Amino acid sequence: MKKTILDFTEMKRKGEKITFLTCYDYPTACLCEKAGFDMLLVGDSVGMVVYGYRGTLPVTMEQMIVHSQAVRRGAPDTFIVGDMPFLSYQQSVKDAICNAGRFHKEAEVDAIKLEGGRRVIKQIEGIVDAGMSVMGHIGLTPQSSGQLGGFKAQGRTAESAMELISDALAIEKAGAFAILLEAVPPELGKIITERCRIPTLGIGAGIHVDGQILIVSDMLGMFEAFTPRFVKKYAALSEIIEKAFGDYIEEIRTGKFPQEKHCYRMLEGESEKLKTLLEKKHI
Ligand code: KIV
């Protein structure tokens, strides 16, 4: 049965870890639902791992909606979070509510996620006031990685950790149901997790957070452009796919594929009839 935001709060209370993964397409969503993930994120990381952009900034609302719809079709009974892309919420509260609404109306997501702490509090409040569930995202926030000096771990000094703690508390106060912490030290993950009543989901935030998320292409070993320190590869799909492609090419070239079992034969007697027709028409 699909979990709700109340289940996630209860899981935190009981110390049960929340399982979370990014997902961008229908076949992977089917497998994720079968595996029993608690939540899926249609992340704007789709821009990097599916479209090959160098960052997440070019991703549009249209792309996010199409991918969210595919994931919803594949995982009808899983809690899905849609990721608000760059400039879909930063400019005004009205934009934020309209675009969060599009995710719900057009892709039937259960919640949306947006990046930033105190500077997006008005947007979080507006979306929550409009009746939608919001996940905050602080630490390394890829949409503002330019300001952060690149894809770098955050909160490594006491002062910057204090800023992130204040952001987390403000996000909770604004009505978010969860906070994603990206690339922060485990001790900071622990402090935020202990001080917030809402669940924390970590990616590179250590063991003490309430749940873990990874990028699906990273954990399956399918994205080779770069691998952040926090990634654990649970499979080496690139190697398997490369071998399959190589075998296919080889078998086409050597005539080993297709075999008889891969062919559709003409109906009984039709082959002879065709031969006669060809002869009659001198073709
Ligand atoms: O877009 C995304 O996939 C994310 C990850 C950092 C979880 O936000």
Side-chain angles (χ1 to χ4, degrees):
M1 208 174 70
K2 196 205 274 189
K3 293 207 164 67
T4 69
I5 60 168
L6 301 180
D7 294 317
F8 301 129
T9 313
E10 186 60 9
M11 286 174 82
K12 176 178 177 114
R13 202 186 57 76
K14 290 188 185 155
E16 285 172 20
K17 295 285 185 187
I18 300 166
T19 59
F20 197 15
L21 186 69
T22 69
C23 186
Y24 317 104
D25 59 62
Y26 171 82
T28 313
C30 294
L31 293 171
C32 287
E33 180 148 302
K34 214 164 151 192
F37 281 99
D38 296 313
M39 286 190 209
L40 295 175
L41 172 70
V42 186
D44 64 352
S45 49
V46 70
M48 299 174 81
V49 301
V50 175
Y51 290 94
Y53 304 146
R54 288 177 56 201
T56 56
L57 299 196
V59 176
T60 64
M61 267 306 289
E62 275 57 43
Q63 287 170 316
M64 292 308 301
I65 295 288
V66 167
H67 286 278
S68 301
Q69 288 168 335
V71 172
R72 172 51 82 211
R73 284 193 288 271
D77 294 322
T78 305
F79 190 96
I80 294 176
V81 182
D83 205 5
M84 301 275 280
F86 182 56
L87 291 192
S88 67
Y89 59 97
Q90 286 92 341
Q91 297 180 97
S92 70
V93 174
K94 189 171 169 222
D95 272 2
I97 297 171
C98 287
N99 286 318
R102 280 195 66 191
F103 268 107
H104 285 77
K105 285 165 82 97
E106 297 174 39
E108 296 177 78
V109 302
D110 300 286
I112 58 85
K113 171 171 89 58
L114 50 77
E115 295 182 8
R118 282 159 290 175
R119 63 182 176 188
V120 292
I121 288 306
K122 288 257 171 302
Q123 284 87 335
I124 296 177
E125 284 170 349
I127 298 168
V128 171
D129 280 350
M132 295 172 271
S133 302
V134 177
M135 177 182 287
H137 178 167
I138 55 173
L140 168 51
T141 43
Q143 291 174 17
S144 44
S145 58
Q147 275 185 339
L148 302 175
F151 291 89
K152 289 200 167 115
Q154 301 295 307
R156 300 179 81 186
T157 64
E159 215 171 285
S160 62
M162 278 304 290
E163 292 295 322
L164 290 173
I165 294 166
S166 301
D167 281 336
L169 294 173
I171 289 170
E172 172 168 89
K173 192 159 172 253
F177 80 97
I179 305 176
L180 192 146
L181 301 176
E182 178 167 356
V184 298
E187 52 269 53
L188 177 56
K190 184 169 190 281
I191 291 170
I192 293 177
T193 300
E194 286 171 352
R195 280 165 179 71
C196 286
R197 287 182 310 278
I198 57 175
T200 54
L201 288 315
I203 179 161
I207 193 74
H208 307 292
V209 289
D210 298 308
Q212 298 288 337
I213 177 166
L214 282 176
I215 307 281
V216 63
S217 333
D218 285 339
M219 61 88 73
L220 290 179
M222 279 188 72
F223 182 70
E224 296 179 321
F226 64 92
T227 305
R229 179 196 190 93
F230 53 69
V231 171
K232 177 168 178 185
K233 292 192 181 184
Y234 287 82
L237 287 201
S238 290
E239 285 168 30
I240 294 171
I241 292 170
E242 270 171 39
K243 176 165 183 335
F245 288 170
D247 289 351
Y248 176 51
I249 288 171
E250 173 71 11
E251 291 198 358
I252 294 171
R253 288 186 178 147
T254 57
K256 238 172 137 187
F257 175 82
Q259 297 166 344
E260 178 61 28
K261 64 180 174 190
H262 304 118
C263 298
Y264 303 95
R265 285 281 161 196
M266 289 191 80
L267 301 178
E268 181 110 32
E270 294 299 318
S271 195
E272 289 70 29
K273 255 196 230 167
L274 178 62
K275 226 168 150 188
T276 315
L277 282 173
L278 286 170
E279 279 165 10
K280 239 197 219 165
K281 298 205 180 254
H282 306 290
I283 298 173

